[in-house]
Each structure stands twice: as structure tokens, then as C-alpha cells.
Amino acid sequence: MPDAAANFRPDHRFETLQVHAGQTPAPVTNARALPIYQTSSFTFNDSAHAARLFALEEEGNVYTRIFNPTSDVFERRIAALEGGVAAVAVGTHAAARFLAFNTLLTHGDDIVVSNSIGSETRHQLLAFERNFGIHARFVDDGVAGAFAPAIGPRTRAVYVETLAGAGLRVPDFAGIAEVAHAAGLPLLVDNTAGGGGYLAQPLAHGADVVIAATNRLIGGHGAPAGGVIIDGGRFDWSSGRFAEFTQPSAGYHGLRFWERFGPGSPTGNVAFAIRSRVEGARDIGPSLSPLSAFQFVIGLETLSLRAQRHADNALALAHWLRARPEVSAVVYPGLPEHPQHALARRYLPNGFGSELRFVLRGGGDAAARLLAGLELVGSVVNPDDGRTQIDTVEPENALSDGATLRLFAGLEHFDDLVADIDRALTR
């Protein structure tokens, strides 16, 4: 099945991979730009060829719901950038989480989860419990060891998010991975804030599976929605906790995924990605459009440049806001007073992300005046599209009794941003 190492060498740097990994000139045409294979299906050479493809005995294209050549380039490239071996791209961030959970969890299972995860993930896990009988055990992620007592006999995974919650907490990836692995469990990380591996690369610190929203820093322009799962390729799925990987698959004539796609196979250990694709994506159908995949590939080509500018602007804005008399508190992992600043320096060496939070004196009225007075800075649901945005947060995520606002730094010139915010603060 697809190898994320296509068209790059191990010594290539991130900036080279983001332009070249996973793509060679198109066959027949030798097109330089990535072709968009806007087709639902593909032809077979003969009946034997079709049989081999359906039995997963041969790599190839059958149906875009499962596999598409345009999406394949995006999947290879993002896997290379995150330090994984394979990826599965789908139509939304929520679909990527659902697919990852669906690949591991069944009725009666549970998953140990950081209590600082975002509200969307929390709502999705509550829906899993309500509809499928799958329970989420929430723990304080401040100390890696806190995850161990929550692990039970039906636990199937540990899950955290990069720069999560009101405090923009930084998980101790290596420490939490050690706890998870000691219990025979994989560590799943939502690395949306990690910028496709440029800002944070959890797989390099022991994580086993990464999930991300591709419509944020990865795509960078707020155009298509999308999500992706990246398989780290190191976890042993044959421990006995994950029978779906070792027992015969009814949908593939008794195929055992761990035997066919484990570390001893010609593909190497891509068992999680393959099961997510050929059972999960096949049955649930959260397909990514080939056009969207093309747009995400275009976004990847400038990822490091954009992610660096986002992070640089966020750090500068955090320092500027901290000095303002109208602001009583600023939370940003790049500030020395942040509780996880040391972890941020370890796990986010290129920058501390685009998001910061600040508390405005004067409460809700002051926040309303600020938002109404902004001209350049906007307020939208999808951040990291190149434009700076400020919005208020839910009461449960407020930092204090003041008005808590969330700012995502964009790519604009810093002086123009502070001029706009200054006018709004002093109007």
C-alpha cells in the first residue's frame, strides 16, 4: 500500500519535503503540477486484476471513497512531514477523529482522555458514549503519571491534544507515551495546532497516531474542510487488546491485517492506516474530494513559511498585549510565565503556535467594544486561514472573571495588527 517515503530521502529537511514528498511527474503527460483525478471510480485491466485489488493483494485504485491518486500525494506528503509512515485523508476534522476512534473502539471499551481537550472533541466523545457505549475517562494532563490510574482492562487508547484548552496546555508527549506503552496502549494526539509537524511533531516523541484538521495551518487558506490521520508505524497491534488487527477479517476473505500489513510485511507496519481506510473509510464514507486534496497539497508547499509567521506574530502580540493597561492577563506557551513553558520549548522548537488568550478589564462590555471597533482583525469559526481573528470564549473556558478573548495571529504585518487593536481598545 502507499509508502510515505516516495520521492524523498531521509536526510531531506522539512522545507524540502513540503514541496516534493510523495509526488513524481504525472505518468503519460509528465505534468509538473499535481493532476486532479476528479473521478469516482477506476477501470480494471481484467477480472483477475479486480480480484487482486479487492482482496488487498495489490496496490491500486478502485473507488475514490477508499483511494484516489490526488489524495494519495497529499497523504504521502503529510505523513512524511509528521514523521509517519502512512496517512488517511477525509472530508472533515471530526470525521478524522471519528475514524481513528472507530478503528480502535467498540461497545464497552473506554479511552483515557486529557481533560483539557477542545469542546468539539468532548461533544464527540459524549456522543460515542451515548450512542455506542464507549466511555471516555477524563484525567488532568498536568502530570504524565496521572493517566496511569485511569487505565482499565477495557481501555484501548490514550488521547491528548497539542496546545489544548483555555490554558493552551502542552502535553508531555514522551512521558504520556511511556505511560500508555507500559499498559500496551497507543497514544493518539490531535496535532492540529502543531502545523503539520512543523511546530510540533508528537510522533517523534512517542505518539503512535496523529490526527489533524487540514483546513487550518495545513491548508492555510480556509477554503476546503478536511481532516487526516497519520500512522506512526511503530505500535504493536498484536498484543491481544486489538483483536480486529489479528483475527480474520470477514470483509476481506479472512485477511489478518497484522500479518499482511505489519512490520514483517513488504509494506512495513501500516496496519492502522490500512484498517482505517479499507474498513473504516469504506464503510463510513467520509471521503475527501480530490479537488480539496489538491488544495491541501498547494497549502503544504508553503507550510513552514506560514506557520513560522503565524507563531512569530502570536509571540509578538502576546508581549504587546501583556504590556497594555486594558489587559489583566495573557496566556501563551511562548511566555516564560506559562505553566508549561519548559515543555513548550522542548516540543515546539520552531514556535509556540498561532493562538493566545487574554483577559480584558471591564468585562463583557469592554469585549463588545473591542470587537465592534476592529477593522482589520476579524472573527470567524475557522482560524489559521492567514487572517488574524479575535473572538470571545465560552464561559466554561474563561480564564477569570474578566472577559476572556481568543486571538489567532495571522500573516499580516505586526504593525498593522497592533494599530488596529490599539484603535479598538482606545475608542
Side-chain angles (χ1 to χ4, degrees), residues 41-180:
S41 52
F42 303 84
T43 61
F44 306 118
N45 298 333
D46 50 41
S47 60
H49 178 225
R52 293 193 302 272
L53 292 176
F54 279 109
L56 304 183
E57 295 173 354
E58 181 179 318
E59 179 184 341
N61 305 305
V62 175
Y63 201 69
T64 284
R65 185 177 79 244
I66 302 172
F67 192 77
N68 178 278
T70 308
S71 300
D72 177 48
V73 172
F74 170 64
E75 291 166 343
R76 291 173 185 260
R77 191 167 298 179
I78 190 62
L81 294 175
E82 286 277 9
V85 297
V88 181
V90 291
T92 68
H93 185 199
R97 285 195 307 265
F98 188 99
L99 199 59
F101 295 156
N102 180 75
T103 302
L104 292 177
L105 302 165
T106 190
H107 184 83
D109 288 343
D110 61 72
I111 180 170
V112 177
V113 181
S114 160
N115 63 1
S116 62
I117 61 170
S119 59
E120 290 186 359
T121 309
R122 189 179 297 270
H123 292 319
Q124 192 171 43
L125 287 170
L126 291 175
F128 262 76
E129 181 167 10
R130 183 174 61 250
N131 299 329
F132 307 124
I134 295 167
H135 181 61
R137 299 170 180 256
F138 292 96
V139 300
D140 185 350
D141 61 2
V143 179
F147 287 82
I151 294 172
R154 291 295 301 269
T155 303
R156 294 294 178 265
V158 174
Y159 176 89
V160 300
E161 295 178 354
T162 305
L163 301 179
L168 300 177
R169 298 173 71 92
V170 182
D172 180 1
F173 296 126
I176 299 170
E178 185 176 352
V179 171

Side-chain angles (χ1 to χ4, degrees), residues 248-255 279:
S249 169
Y252 289 99
H253 311 292
L255 176 147
E279 288 193 334

Side-chain angles (χ1 to χ4, degrees), residues 55-57 237-238 242-272 274-275 278-279:
L56 304 183
E57 295 173 354
W237 301 104
S238 67
F242 307 96
E244 297 85 353
F245 287 86
T246 56
Q247 293 180 355
S249 169
Y252 289 99
H253 311 292
L255 176 147
R256 300 172 189 263
F257 285 94
W258 185 246
E259 289 181 2
R260 181 70 63 85
F261 302 108
S265 69
T267 64
N269 185 1
V270 293
F272 186 88
I274 295 299
R275 266 208 71 227
V278 303
E279 288 193 334

Side-chain angles (χ1 to χ4, degrees), residues 168-298:
L168 300 177
R169 298 173 71 92
V170 182
D172 180 1
F173 296 126
I176 299 170
E178 185 176 352
V179 171
H181 295 162
L185 301 174
L187 173 61
L188 278 62
V189 178
D190 189 311
N191 196 41
T192 297
Y198 178 74
L199 296 176
Q201 196 178 79
L203 293 177
H205 300 285
D208 301 291
V209 176
V210 157
I211 303 160
T214 54
N215 44 286
R216 287 186 51 180
L217 284 170
I218 289 171
H221 300 93
V228 68
I229 302 168
I230 299 101
D231 186 348
R234 291 188 300 270
F235 191 78
D236 182 358
W237 301 104
S238 67
S239 65
R241 281 183 181 257
F242 307 96
E244 297 85 353
F245 287 86
T246 56
Q247 293 180 355
S249 169
Y252 289 99
H253 311 292
L255 176 147
R256 300 172 189 263
F257 285 94
W258 185 246
E259 289 181 2
R260 181 70 63 85
F261 302 108
S265 69
T267 64
N269 185 1
V270 293
F272 186 88
I274 295 299
R275 266 208 71 227
S276 296
R277 182 187 302 280
V278 303
E279 288 193 334
R282 179 200 64 184
D283 297 340
I284 300 169
S287 310
L288 180 70
S289 152
L291 176 59
S292 296
F294 171 82
Q295 291 174 296
F296 290 139
V297 169
I298 297 301

Side-chain angles (χ1 to χ4, degrees), residues 371 374-379 388-390 407 412 417 420-421:
L371 295 175
L374 294 168
E375 298 175 2
L376 180 65
V377 177
S379 179
T388 299
Q389 73 169 67
I390 298 177
L407 184 153
E412 302 94 341
L417 292 174
D420 190 47
I421 299 171

